Amino acid sequence: MQTIQLFEPGVTDRIQNPLDLLRRCGGYYKCPKDPGGKRLGPLVGYAGRYEAEKLQYVGDEYVNFAKAERHAPILKHLAGQLISDIWDRDLGPTLKVSAGFIGAPEGGKALACALAQAAGRIDDEYMRQYIFPEKVITAVATPNSREVSKLVFDRHEPEAGEFWWITEDVCNNFSTTAELVALIESHGAHVAGILCFLNRSLDVEKEFSPRVGLTLPVIPLVRQRIMQYQQDDVFVAADVAARNVVWKPKKREEWQKLAAAMEAARKG
């Protein structure tokens, strides 16, 4: 059983930063390369798609937040940091009147639940809620792409007039975010802002506009741009052709391939 401490070994006055903490949980992959730039491990497939949503983008780095969310103390710590960041952005009043947090499946659900618990301490008379939509599959997976799905509220749903914070593990092209904003608004509710562990977008910084007339604050624990490539890009085409790609990196057996590649490169 793996136990991860919030404090670095020998350090008692500083909690490790979020991305380093995730690395220690075994949740960060960066493809190792030899001195000439040849890949010593697989590429990874991302959720973002192109060419009419048929093909996934690929890249060299992947953040697997699931490795951190299984550790309750770490999840609690990260949620507390996000609540502090909301207040640092002068959005505390919005937090106090919000209904709670909507977790984007699957990666945002555990973090949204932890946020509801952390935010509930602000006002003992008004505890925050946690709800989530569910995925309905509209197209099955193929050898070169993931399944396609849409979001629906079934188990829970927001009420008209309420304000909710969308919570995700990783934000990139914000397509899921935009879909979730539209879904929330279709129930007559409103979105207060977007929270996430990592914002890896090449374009979106502190604000996101899912539609004309609406601009939402984006608050990540980690802001780090991560490049992604179409499969025929010269930088990745040879590896894609050689099938040196892990298309579903969060699956246990697939993540083990990534971890093994980094460990082999580390040992030399």
Side-chain angles (χ1 to χ4, degrees):
M1 182 178 66
Q2 184 186 33
T3 300
I4 305 296
Q5 297 180 342
L6 286 174
F7 293 93
E8 295 184 54
V11 177
T12 59
D13 61 348
R14 179 167 60 87
I15 292 178
Q16 196 151 351
N17 74 56
L19 192 56
D20 285 343
L21 200 51
L22 183 66
R23 286 191 181 100
R24 293 177 60 207
C25 293
Y28 176 74
Y29 172 75
K30 186 170 184 178
C31 182
K33 298 177 183 179
D34 68 15
K38 180 181 178 181
R39 289 184 177 87
L40 303 176
L43 291 163
V44 289
Y46 295 137
R49 298 168 182 270
Y50 64 100
E51 289 190 4
E53 303 297 307
K54 293 181 180 180
L55 298 176
Q56 289 175 245
Y57 287 98
V58 298
D60 286 312
E61 297 180 65
Y62 196 86
V63 167
N64 186 355
F65 185 69
K67 292 294 184 178
E69 71 183 16
R70 65 188 295 163
H71 300 279
I74 291 176
L75 202 60
K76 178 180 177 181
H77 165 65
L78 297 177
Q81 280 198 342
L82 272 173
I83 295 298
S84 295
D85 290 344
I86 291 173
W87 284 91
D88 289 344
R89 287 276 297 268
D90 295 324
L91 294 169
T94 303
L95 179 63
K96 293 192 70 172
V97 300
S98 68
F101 304 86
I102 294 178
E106 290 295 326
K109 292 164 71 172
L111 184 56
C113 184
L115 281 163
Q117 292 176 311
R121 298 172 187 166
I122 295 172
D123 182 353
D124 291 337
E125 295 181 358
Y126 189 69
M127 300 298 289
R128 270 67 192 166
Q129 300 176 57
Y130 151 61
I131 65 174
F132 59 88
E134 298 177 62
K135 288 184 177 180
V136 175
I137 297 174
T138 58
V140 299
T142 71
N144 292 322
S145 66
R146 296 177 178 178
E147 67 188 22
V148 179
S149 61
K150 67 177 182 178
L151 298 177
V152 298
F153 281 112
D154 188 15
R155 186 180 184 90
H156 312 283
E157 64 181 33
E159 299 294 333
E162 293 178 334
F163 280 82
W164 291 86
W165 290 84
I166 290 175
T167 307
E168 304 188 50
D169 55 350
V170 178
C171 291
N172 178 31
N173 59 17
F174 283 78
S175 59
T176 298
T177 312
E179 179 185 357
L180 191 45
V181 170
L183 180 61
I184 293 168
E185 292 185 334
S186 73
H187 286 261
H190 311 282
V191 178
I194 300 153
L195 306 170
C196 59
F197 175 80
L198 168 70
N199 176 10
R200 56 165 290 239
S201 172
L202 300 178
D203 305 309
V204 177
E205 290 287 345
K206 294 184 177 182
E207 295 180 332
F208 172 60
S209 296
R211 59 171 175 80
V212 175
L214 179 64
T215 299
L216 300 171
V218 177
I219 303 178
L221 280 171
V222 179
R223 175 64 176 114
Q224 178 174 305
R225 295 176 179 84
I226 296 179
M227 290 298 299
Q228 63 181 22
Y229 307 91
Q230 293 188 6
Q231 295 176 26
D232 59 355
D233 189 289
V234 65
F235 190 65
V236 299
D239 285 278
V240 173
R243 301 197 176 191
N244 185 34
V245 186
V246 166
W247 294 108
K248 296 183 178 181
K250 286 187 178 179
K251 284 189 171 292
R252 179 181 176 85
E253 61 275 14
E254 298 295 89
W255 188 257
Q256 288 175 341
K257 296 177 184 177
L258 303 179
M262 288 198 299
E263 181 64 14
R266 186 185 68 81
K267 290 181 176 179

